[in-house]
């Protein structure tokens, strides 16, 4: 049975230096540091790679993050993978739980997440997931 968790989250993006030997047009790198609130009470750390194009509103990014905390009272860790593109201002974002990345009481977790950024910059998440019953 698919469950749903949602709530606000805080995010801090910190620019990272390019990798050694990177060419001038290398993707930009950012460190991610998040704190989720609501049914998902957790922190996460990760990295993002992004590229902007010469066309206004067109860009792409990928990111990986490790989440640690509780989901509906069950504790453990899991990983999220992001794939985002923006085509002339039209966004398309896919955020998925990395298969078999759940640990502890989150072993077997699967699902996907959407995020919303409201005017003014407030972030919120909507997480649809499945999780095996407790043993």
């Amino acid at each position: 049975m698919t469950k749903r968790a949602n709530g606000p989250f805080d995010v801090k993006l910190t620019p990272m230096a390019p990798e050694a030997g990177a060419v001038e047009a290398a993707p930009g790198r950012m460190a991610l540091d998040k704190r989720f609130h609501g049914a998902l009470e957790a922190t996460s750390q990760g990295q993002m790679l992004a590229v902007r194009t010469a066309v206004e509103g067109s860009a792409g990014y990928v990111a990986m993050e490790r989440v640690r905390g509780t989901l509906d009272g069950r504790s453990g860790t899991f990983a999220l993978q992001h794939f985002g593109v923006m085509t002339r201002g039209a966004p398309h974002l896919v955020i998925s739980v990395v298969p078999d990345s759940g640990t502890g009481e989150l072993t077997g977790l699967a699902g996907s997440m959407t995020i919303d950024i409201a005017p003014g910059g407030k972030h919120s998440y909507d997480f649809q997931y499945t999780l095996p019953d407790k043993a």
Side-chain angles (χ1 to χ4, degrees):
M1 179 172 151
T2 301
K3 297 180 181 181
R4 183 178 227 149
N6 53 54
F9 71 95
D10 306 306
V11 61
K12 179 181 176 187
L13 298 172
T14 305
M16 297 173 67
E19 291 187 30
V23 297
E24 185 176 320
R29 294 185 343 148
M30 304 283 262
L32 300 171
D33 187 7
K34 294 181 182 175
R35 181 166 301 277
F36 295 91
H37 308 284
L40 175 61
E41 283 291 334
T43 59
S44 76
Q45 284 76 42
Q47 288 190 27
M48 176 175 74
L49 295 174
V51 172
R52 290 185 183 198
T53 72
V55 175
E56 181 68 27
S58 291
Y61 91 94
V62 294
M64 300 296 288
E65 63 182 302
R66 176 74 68 183
V67 181
R68 175 180 304 280
T70 60
L71 176 60
D72 284 331
R74 294 174 66 171
S75 64
T77 66
F78 61 95
L80 290 173
Q81 179 174 330
H82 300 231
F83 170 80
V85 294
M86 185 171 291
T87 306
R88 295 179 189 94
H92 175 72
L93 177 60
V94 176
I95 305 172
S96 300
V97 173
V98 174
D100 300 315
S101 65
T103 68
E105 294 177 311
L106 300 179
T107 299
L109 178 68
S112 62
M113 182 180 284
T114 60
I115 61 172
D116 182 61
I117 304 172
K122 294 222 181 243
H123 289 68
S124 60
Y125 68 91
D126 186 39
F127 189 22
Q128 293 189 5
Y129 67 95
T130 59
L131 192 56
D133 291 335
K134 289 185 179 182

